[in-house]
């Protein structure tokens, strides 16, 4: 029995890795630009398709393809922010919601045209395998997702804390006017942020593609998941997605066994409500501003 | 303040034109505006369909099923109504997989396009809402793509179906498992209407046929992690796992069962294995998995329009380049029922066609022999079971087909190549 619970808590931790790595980009966009990117899930699905195409056409392993996919998404995200999103991002929040909602539509339906609505999965020899350790099963992809999340969170934190560009992003996220007066070019900072987060979203998407079957319409639930994890962990914090993802993953896993899997959504959104009431800025967020 | 760059302008134009192209795709299928049911010697039949959105996959299968019937009837000269032959045209409108749109498009086709005969969109929720409109206007709609019982328990008089109740899907699978000495079963199902009904029907059938149901749970649709449920199931050591949900969850369960090294003598799903992408997505891990199905090309049934089930498969492959799956066949069968009723009624008058449908009684089509019930549903269809073998689906039930069974019990995950 003890062993079962250890495995269930481990499953929750690893699911936390998948959830957290998906929320990393979403949290950054929200925290820095006050942009709730409703197309976030579709970005991830697009990255999963790209990884699949690279695997099938060029035989490129998804983990080797990751830097390339990151760069493509960085460039695409940079241009998208610079060309389109910057036009509305400083305005009403409603406008950015509308724009990213439209973007999600265009992305999802373009993917149906390009890849058909058929379900796909990035299937490598190790995608369904596990490591056995201490009598527990460590599914390879999920374990790596948690490891990558730890590394990426650390890198993101170092980048934001210690580099010039990172400090520019943080300054802009605190307040745009003073940042502008200090000589920062806000549209460029925003484009850099969106590029970076698009790259991170793509990494999350590859992990999703390895661990689940996906179709062009699968983006919606991913966006909702990232939304919940971001609020739990704290908007715009480097470590928030990790903390939020793990808490949500473990609670869902344990709760789904005690109460039954039907109640997973009740647990998830109950937790969300609780956090919004008790700590509106998230677990790692600064206390009420 | 900001100076709009040229590149930004082009991106905007590109995005806008892409949107327009996509919007165009939706309406292109509707064709020229129609002027009534049999204007110009053509009988028009309306069908909201999921061309885009989350159901686009199955939506296309249904679309192709209707289209195949339409093309074949027209090639054969048309439907014979009172001694005169009429061409048929199925008018499609994209409901974007959204049940609200299914209803409003049915309304639109009724009021603006003057269409009086309908085939349904895909999936129970969409059928549920579209049939409400058909019933209100007293025009018949034949459902192909949902067997939810609740569609037929509303006392409606204008709704018919080519699908059996969802609750009957698992009967054949359990019959097969019983012959292989399987005693204990774990059930896992999604929380949508179809999966709930299929699971309840399956569990009730299992209990009344001597199986021991050792685990049963419902998970939310689109679940992305079921490892903890599998860990729990592993403790109970059931012979078989029966999953009733959606394609992506069936794939997830196989992936995670292997990751967690949870072994079963048999694994069966309602949705998943019968689709070609199941074996493609999972590769070798899909071998030996059973699927509840409604139709396969091997079945020994035939009719005058499509010929044998095998011939149906041949025609379908010629037209669309892929093997038909049961979604397509059941859609063709629904369209065929409409054709039969029109010919029997000798009219395209919606009331007369409705009465003809209600009085079809027992019919034999290429998908089997069934009886149209008073509430519009059908009964008596013998459902096949399929198994994934070498990446292909093979019919392994009913009756003699069971000699095709392989890998029973399934080899353990770590014993597979």
């Amino acid at each position: 029995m003890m062993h079962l619970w250890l495995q269930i808590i481990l499953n929750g931790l690893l699911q936390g890795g998948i959830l957290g790595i998906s929320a990393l980009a979403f949290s950054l966009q929200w925290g820095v630009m006050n942009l709730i990117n409703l197309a976030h899930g579709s970005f991830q699905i697009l990255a999963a398709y790209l990884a699949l195409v690279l695997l099938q056409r060029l035989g490129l392993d998804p983990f080797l393809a990751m830097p390339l996919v990151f760069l493509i998404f960085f460039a695409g995200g940079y241009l998208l922010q610079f060309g389109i999103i910057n036009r509305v991002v400083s305005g009403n929040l409603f406008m950015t919601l509308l724009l990213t909602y439209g973007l999600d539509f265009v992305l999802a339906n373009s993917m149906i045209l390009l890849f058909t609505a058929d379900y796909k999965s990035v299937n490598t020899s190790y995608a369904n395998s596990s490591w056995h350790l201490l009598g527990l099963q460590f599914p390879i992809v999920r374990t790596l997702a948690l490891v990558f999340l730890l590394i990426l969170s650390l890198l993101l934190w170092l980048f934001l804390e210690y580099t010039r560009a990172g400090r520019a992003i943080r300054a802009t996220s605190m307040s745009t006017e003073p940042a502008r007066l200090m000589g920062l070019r806000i549209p460029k900072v925003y484009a850099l942020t969106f590029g970076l987060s698009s790259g991170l979203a793509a990494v999350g998407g590859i992990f999703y593609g390895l661990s689940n079957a996906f179709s062009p319409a699968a983006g919606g639930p991913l966006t909702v998941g990232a939304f919940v994890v971001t609020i739990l962990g704290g908007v715009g914090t480097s470590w928030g997605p990790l903390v939020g993802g793990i808490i949500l993953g473990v609670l869902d896993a344990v709760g789904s066994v005690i109460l039954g899997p039907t109640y997973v959504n009740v647990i998830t959104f109950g937790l969300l409500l609780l956090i919004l009431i008790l700590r509106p800025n998230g677990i790692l967020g600064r206390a009420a501003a | 303040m900001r100076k709009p760059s040229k590149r930004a302008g082009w991106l905007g134009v590109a995005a806008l034109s892409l949107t327009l192209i996509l919007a165009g795709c939706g309406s292109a299928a509707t064709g020229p505006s129609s002027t009534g049911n049999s204007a110009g010697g053509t009988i028009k039949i309306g069908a909201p369909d999921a061309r885009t959105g989350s159901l686009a996959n199955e939506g296309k299968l249904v679309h192709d099923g209707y289209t195949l019937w339409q093309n074949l009837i027209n090639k054969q000269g048309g439907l014979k109504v009172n001694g005169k032959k009429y061409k048929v045209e199925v008018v499609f409108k994209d409901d974007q997989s959204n049940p609200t749109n299914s209803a409003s498009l049915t309304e639109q086709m009724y009021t603006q396009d003057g269409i009086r005969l309908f085939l349904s969109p895909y999936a129970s929720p969409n059928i549920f809402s579209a049939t409400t409109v058909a019933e209100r206007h007293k025009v018949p709609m034949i459902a192909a793509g949902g067997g939810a019982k609740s569609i037929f328990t509303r006392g409606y008089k204008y709704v018919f179906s080519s699908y059996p109740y969802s609750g009957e899907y698992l009967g054949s699978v359990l019959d097969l498992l019983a012959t292989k000495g399987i005693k204990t079963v774990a059930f896992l199902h999604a929380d949508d209407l179809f999966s709930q009904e299929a699971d309840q029907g399956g569990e009730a059938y299992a209990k009344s046929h001597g199986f021991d149901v050792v685990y049963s749970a419902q998970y939310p649709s689109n679940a992305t992690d079921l490892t903890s449920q599998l860990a729990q199931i592993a403790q109970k050591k059931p012979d078989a796992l029966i999953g009733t949900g959606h394609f992506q969850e069936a794939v997830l369960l196989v992936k995670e069962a292997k990751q967690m090294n949870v072994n079963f003598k048999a694994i069966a799903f309602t949705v998943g294995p019968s689709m070609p992408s199941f074996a493609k997505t999972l590769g070798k891990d899909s071998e030996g998995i059973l699927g509840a199905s409604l139709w396969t090309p091997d079945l020994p049934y035939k009719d005058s329009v499509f010929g044998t089930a095998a011939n149906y498969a041949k025609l379908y492959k010629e037209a669309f380049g892929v093997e038909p799956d049961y979604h397509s066949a059941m859609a063709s069968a629904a369209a065929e029922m409409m054709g039969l009723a029109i010919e029997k009624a000798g009219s395209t008058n919606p009331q007369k066609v409705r009465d003809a449908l209600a009085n079809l009684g027992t019919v034999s089509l290429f998908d089997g022999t069934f009886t149209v019930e008073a509430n519009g549903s059908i009964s008596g269809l013998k459902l096949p079971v399929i198994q994934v073998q070498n990446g292909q689906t093979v019919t392994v039930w009913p009756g003699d087909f069971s000699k095709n069974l392989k890998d029973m019990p399934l080899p353990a995950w770590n014993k597979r190549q």
Side-chain angles (χ1 to χ4, degrees):
Chain A
M1 211 54 202
M2 191 59 211
H3 182 256
L4 173 67
W5 282 107
L6 277 178
Q7 180 71 54
I8 285 166
I9 289 167
L10 172 68
N11 292 343
L13 271 173
L14 297 180
Q15 174 68 3
I18 295 271
L19 288 169
I21 208 161
S22 156
L24 213 50
F26 191 80
S27 169
L28 188 63
Q29 290 163 356
W30 192 353
V32 174
M33 298 179 284
N34 200 26
L35 169 74
I36 297 176
N37 181 9
L38 296 178
H40 172 69
S42 290
F43 269 83
Q44 294 192 286
I45 299 298
L46 187 62
Y49 274 113
L50 186 55
L52 181 69
V53 170
L54 289 172
L55 176 69
Q56 287 177 340
R57 294 282 160 85
L58 306 176
L60 199 55
D61 185 89
F63 283 96
L64 294 176
M66 218 173 248
L68 179 65
V69 176
F70 182 93
L71 282 178
I72 293 172
F73 270 73
F74 181 90
Y78 191 96
L79 291 178
L80 192 66
Q81 175 76 28
F82 204 78
I84 299 179
I85 303 176
N86 265 344
R87 289 159 186 270
V88 299
V89 77
S90 52
N92 192 331
L93 182 64
F94 182 71
M95 286 303 291
T96 61
L97 284 177
L98 206 62
L99 179 69
T100 55
Y101 182 70
L103 197 60
D104 185 55
F105 242 64
V106 172
L107 275 177
N109 285 299
S110 309
M111 285 192 282
I112 291 185
L113 290 180
L114 273 174
F115 305 109
T116 76
D118 248 357
Y119 278 95
K120 302 273 164 59
S121 189
V122 186
N123 222 4
T124 57
S125 56
Y126 51 82
N128 299 345
S129 304
S130 297
W131 288 309
H132 310 267
L133 213 66
L134 307 167
L136 296 173
Q137 309 279 349
F138 289 78
I140 292 176
V141 170
R142 286 171 182 272
T143 309
L144 286 177
L146 188 60
V147 173
F148 269 65
L149 176 59
L150 277 165
I151 296 172
L152 287 175
S153 299
L154 180 68
L155 287 178
L156 184 64
W157 180 74
L158 290 172
F159 171 74
L160 291 178
E161 210 66 25
Y162 296 108
T163 67
R164 210 181 140 74
R167 280 201 290 265
I169 289 177
R170 278 196 300 137
T172 311
S173 82
M174 286 171 195
S175 187
T176 47
E177 257 337 284
R180 196 200 305 274
L181 292 175
M182 293 296 165
L184 286 175
R185 295 175 65 183
I186 308 296
K188 284 248 164 91
V189 175
Y190 277 2
L192 177 68
T193 311
F194 200 82
L196 185 63
S197 53
S198 299
L200 290 172
V203 174
I206 293 176
F207 274 105
Y208 186 79
L210 280 162
S211 59
N212 284 277
F214 55 90
S215 76
L222 282 178
T223 306
V224 176
F227 186 84
V228 176
V229 170
T230 299
I231 291 188
L232 282 183
V235 174
T237 57
S238 310
W239 298 100
L242 177 72
V243 173
I246 285 179
I247 288 177
L248 188 64
V250 172
L251 273 180
D252 276 356
V254 172
S256 76
V257 170
I258 296 176
L259 303 172
T262 318
Y263 294 96
V264 165
N265 284 342
V266 178
I267 299 166
T268 304
F269 292 101
L271 190 65
L272 182 70
L273 274 180
L274 206 67
I275 287 287
L276 284 174
I277 294 166
L278 298 177
R279 276 194 74 91
N281 290 333
I283 294 166
L284 293 187
R286 269 163 261 130
Chain B
M1 300 271 270
R2 230 174 277 128
K3 172 176 74 163
S5 71
K6 253 189 194 148
R7 192 202 288 130
W10 279 113
L11 270 177
V13 171
L16 189 67
S17 37
L18 195 52
T19 317
L20 289 176
I21 290 166
L22 289 168
C25 285
S27 54
T30 58
S33 77
S34 53
T35 48
N37 257 334
S38 49
T42 301
I43 299 169
K44 293 197 182 219
I45 299 168
D49 81 322
R51 176 161 292 218
T52 58
S54 59
L55 303 172
N57 203 7
E58 296 87 343
K60 178 171 169 29
L61 301 177
V62 173
H63 180 282
D64 290 350
Y66 292 159
T67 308
L68 186 67
W69 171 79
Q70 167 201 283
N71 295 347
L72 203 61
I73 289 290
N74 289 341
K75 217 168 126 191
Q76 293 169 358
L79 287 177
K80 203 168 176 187
V81 184
N82 276 338
K84 196 169 164 234
K85 289 240 177 179
Y86 291 86
K87 300 266 183 208
V88 290
E89 183 194 344
V90 181
V91 180
F92 293 101
K93 291 202 179 192
D94 180 12
D95 70 9
Q96 297 165 342
S97 306
N98 180 343
T100 317
N101 292 347
S102 311
S104 60
L105 289 176
T106 308
E107 182 78 48
Q108 194 190 341
M109 284 192 264
Y110 178 86
T111 50
Q112 291 180 18
D113 305 336
I115 292 174
R116 294 292 178 266
L117 304 169
F118 289 91
L119 292 166
S120 81
Y122 177 73
S124 290
N126 305 59
I127 295 172
F128 198 88
S129 71
T131 46
T132 325
V133 178
E135 181 74 16
R136 176 152 35 86
H137 292 303
K138 297 193 187 317
V139 292
M141 177 178 269
I142 306 180
K149 199 169 190 169
S150 47
I151 293 170
F152 301 100
T153 49
R154 295 175 293 179
Y156 282 11
K157 297 210 157 19
Y158 293 82
V159 180
F160 299 88
S161 179
S162 66
Y163 272 55
Y165 282 150
S166 322
E168 295 175 14
Y169 280 36
L170 287 170
S172 295
V173 171
L174 289 157
D175 286 343
L176 181 155
L177 293 182
T179 66
K180 291 286 153 188
I182 279 165
K183 295 264 182 282
T184 52
V185 193
F187 281 89
L188 252 179
H189 71 279
D191 61 357
D192 63 289
L193 198 60
F194 162 76
S195 305
Q196 285 180 339
E197 284 188 12
D199 179 84
Q200 281 161 13
E203 286 192 40
Y205 192 90
K207 282 172 189 158
S208 64
H209 286 71
F211 288 94
D212 192 4
V213 178
V214 295
Y215 180 91
S216 165
Q218 171 177 302
Y219 58 81
S221 297
N222 293 317
T224 56
D225 180 25
L226 294 165
T227 43
S228 296
Q229 279 59 56
L230 285 165
Q232 244 184 317
I233 290 172
Q235 299 271 309
K236 315 249 181 192
K237 297 193 171 36
D239 294 333
L241 171 71
I242 296 185
T244 307
H246 311 93
F247 183 89
Q248 67 272 33
E249 296 141 18
V251 170
L252 183 73
L253 275 168
V254 175
K255 274 173 164 284
E256 296 192 331
K258 186 182 178 198
Q259 288 168 9
M260 306 293 293
N261 198 28
V262 183
N263 291 296
F264 301 95
K265 287 181 187 161
I267 300 177
F269 296 105
T270 44
V271 178
S274 69
M275 299 187 195
S277 37
F278 186 78
K280 261 191 244 160
T281 306
L282 285 166
K284 286 197 173 109
D285 296 335
S286 65
E287 286 298 308
I289 290 174
L290 300 169
S293 183
L294 298 181
W295 177 86
T296 71
D298 306 331
L299 295 176
Y301 310 121
K302 58 182 173 204
D303 63 36
S304 56
V305 177
F306 294 108
T308 59
N311 194 51
Y312 176 87
K314 188 173 143 264
L315 293 168
Y316 190 94
K317 190 153 189 195
E318 280 167 13
F320 305 109
V322 289
E323 298 288 340
D325 131 300
Y326 73 74
H327 292 91
S328 304
M330 300 307 278
S332 297
E336 204 178 347
M337 282 169 74
M338 182 64 88
L340 276 180
I342 292 171
E343 289 187 330
K344 202 175 159 206
S347 162
T348 56
N349 175 295
Q351 185 61 43
K352 287 185 178 153
V353 174
R354 181 262 154 207
D355 292 341
L357 277 167
N359 294 314
L360 269 185
T362 301
V363 276
S364 288
L365 301 182
F366 77 98
D367 69 325
T369 303
F370 56 88
T371 305
V372 178
E373 297 290 328
N375 66 3
S377 69
I378 62 162
S379 67
L381 208 55
K382 285 203 173 50
L383 304 185
V385 178
I386 58 98
Q387 186 179 39
V388 180
Q389 295 180 4
N390 300 319
Q392 304 290 321
T393 56
V394 175
T395 309
V396 293
W397 196 260
D400 278 351
F401 287 109
S402 62
K403 67 176 187 294
N404 296 337
L405 261 177
K406 269 174 48 180
D407 291 337
M408 285 290 261
L410 285 173
W413 296 115
N414 52 19
K415 298 278 185 324
R416 295 178 174 223
Q417 306 104 333

